[in-house]
Amino acid sequence: MKRLAAVTLSILISVCVLFLPFGTTKARAHEPFELTISTLPAGFASYALGVGIAELINKNSSWLKAVHIEGRGPVEHMKLLVKNPARRKNYLFFNTTWDLWEAKRGIGPYAKFPFNYDEFKFVSLFGIAANGLCTLNPKIKTLKDLVGKRVIFDSAPNKGRILVYKGVLEAAGLPLDKIKFQYASGKSAADAMRDGLVDVIYLGAGLRKLPNIFALSPFIAELVATKDVYFISFEKKYVEAFKAKTGHPVSFMEVPPKIFGPLQTKPCGILVKPLAFSAHISMPDDVITEVLRIVYENAHLLKQYAAMGEIITKDTLASLGVPEEAYHPAAVRFFKAKRIKITGFGF
């Protein structure tokens, strides 16, 4: 009788479990995982957006915890992971399609640390950036006026932005040896021009609304708010000539008047590049999936952290304009499960 009672009880328990409402059974606890998120120095919109995404992860995951750190840029991120294999599994970093293109070809600083850069994969769209030129000198109006001037195009020689700037200037026929190159990043560049130490600096901006409404990066926005800032336009024919010669993924766009500031009286030609989160191929699939789940479910909140977060939506997470194989495999599976098109914005 005791045996019969035990069997009967077992059957009843099984039947009860079978008819429990879906999702009421307790899932097996996931092992905690700490993720490092590294973007750009403070003063860039990407920094603020990185802080926001880390906060959203910490609020919305029971097992994934994110620590955001102030990074220096794609070159330093990839160099760190090339030299420190132990960090590859938990390091999510800011990257651009420009930088990965250059890294795979061993161009510029990447020549000093060769690696199979196909191991670095995109995870999702992080924004669309614009790079241009600005000055406090109203007499500097065109690219040709840069000859003999002190300019800051990037934070160090041979980095991604300066490689493109120099390539476009060469296509325009300018003598690069007649331009006085200096180097600084973000706020330091703006301060140098404010103090009269340089004549021209690069500007940063993030796409806020399609097709061509941009918000200036904080370090430029502050400069525009306190000084008379003039904007120097790139010309499409020179950008296209550089692109045709090298195959570089740079794109050209014109920003309507007044978008950058009151003294922008004409359309301004800029260089455009997609920004991304990237990771090494060894980052665990469940970590990639959890990050994307949280960004997908909270995409509508990203604009609260930075204006360029407005274009990151459930539908645009895979809009980097790169092929499927350029993404982490777990990201591809996530996009397909959510029916997110792997596409671009058509710039």
Side-chain angles (χ1 to χ4, degrees):
M1 290 297 290
K2 290 182 178 180
R3 182 178 180 183
L4 178 61
V7 171
T8 302
L9 179 62
S10 177
I11 292 173
L12 287 172
I13 292 173
S14 298
V15 171
C16 290
V17 170
L18 180 64
F19 285 95
L20 281 172
F22 179 76
T24 60
T25 55
K26 188 176 181 180
R28 183 168 60 89
H30 196 292
E31 288 293 323
F33 191 99
E34 185 169 293
L35 180 70
T36 297
I37 298 178
S38 184
T39 54
L40 288 178
F44 286 90
S46 298
Y47 173 89
L49 194 55
V51 170
I53 290 175
E55 287 182 358
L56 290 171
I57 290 172
N58 292 332
K59 289 178 181 177
N60 293 281
S61 180
S62 61
W63 60 272
L64 183 62
K65 300 303 175 187
V67 177
H68 178 267
I69 62 175
E70 184 177 10
R72 294 174 58 198
V75 173
E76 292 77 15
H77 293 152
M78 287 189 275
K79 182 178 180 180
L80 171 70
L81 298 186
V82 167
K83 294 188 173 184
N84 296 274
R87 302 196 64 178
R88 294 174 188 170
K89 289 186 177 182
N90 72 333
Y91 195 85
L92 187 69
F93 62 93
F94 170 88
N95 203 356
T96 79
T97 55
W98 292 12
D99 281 277
L100 196 54
W101 182 90
E102 292 155 5
K104 290 180 179 182
R105 287 157 180 77
I107 297 173
Y110 301 101
K112 296 181 180 180
F113 46 103
F115 186 72
N116 178 14
Y117 286 94
D118 284 322
E119 293 182 18
F120 292 111
K121 300 294 183 181
F122 293 119
V123 174
S124 72
L125 177 76
F126 192 62
I128 300 293
N131 284 143
L133 295 169
C134 63
T135 181
L136 301 182
N137 184 348
K139 295 181 180 180
I140 302 176
K141 298 180 179 180
T142 70
L143 294 180
K144 292 182 180 179
D145 294 329
L146 299 180
V147 175
K149 301 300 188 296
R150 303 161 298 172
V151 301
I152 295 177
F153 287 159
D154 213 321
S155 59
N158 297 321
K159 294 190 72 172
R161 185 166 37 237
I162 196 169
L163 288 174
V164 178
Y165 278 37
K166 284 184 174 181
V168 173
L169 295 181
E170 283 183 329
L174 297 186
L176 297 184
D177 60 337
K178 302 295 184 181
I179 298 174
K180 303 171 184 178
F181 295 102
Q182 298 185 33
Y183 305 95
S185 178
K187 188 176 183 302
S188 297
D191 288 342
M193 189 163 71
R194 184 185 289 107
D195 294 340
L197 301 177
V198 295
D199 303 298
V200 176
I201 65 171
Y202 69 89
L203 69 82
L207 181 64
R208 182 171 185 173
K209 291 183 181 179
L210 292 168
N212 55 10
I213 306 302
F214 284 83
L216 289 170
S217 292
F219 73 97
I220 295 294
E222 180 184 358
L223 191 66
V224 170
T226 57
K227 294 287 185 178
D228 288 342
V229 180
Y230 303 87
F231 300 90
I232 305 161
S233 185
F234 283 99
E235 294 184 48
K236 184 176 182 178
K237 61 183 178 181
Y238 300 135
V239 177
E240 293 297 327
F242 166 70
K243 188 172 183 176
K245 179 180 178 181
T246 63
H248 194 282
V250 61
S251 295
F252 172 87
M253 182 183 290
E254 279 194 337
V255 176
K258 306 294 184 178
I259 295 296
F260 287 156
L263 297 180
Q264 186 211 338
T265 58
K266 298 178 180 179
C268 184
I270 56 171
L271 310 177
V272 179
K273 59 185 174 188
L275 310 178
F277 268 138
S278 283
H280 188 262
I281 188 68
S282 63
M283 181 171 284
D285 289 2
D286 56 350
V287 174
I288 296 289
T289 302
E290 183 75 343
V291 170
L292 287 173
R293 176 190 71 80
I294 292 167
V295 173
Y296 179 85
E297 293 176 357
N298 296 277
H300 61 288
L301 300 176
L302 297 179
K303 61 186 177 183
Q304 298 177 7
Y305 298 97
M308 75 174 185
E310 190 166 344
I311 67 161
I312 306 174
T313 69
K314 291 181 176 181
D315 297 324
T316 63
L317 289 180
S319 297
L320 286 168
V322 298
E324 182 178 304
E325 58 267 24
Y327 288 96
H328 193 287
V332 173
R333 289 193 293 272
F334 182 90
F335 298 147
K336 290 184 175 181
K338 298 294 186 182
R339 298 184 180 179
I340 300 171
K341 290 183 179 180
I342 297 176
T343 183
F345 288 108
F347 301 140

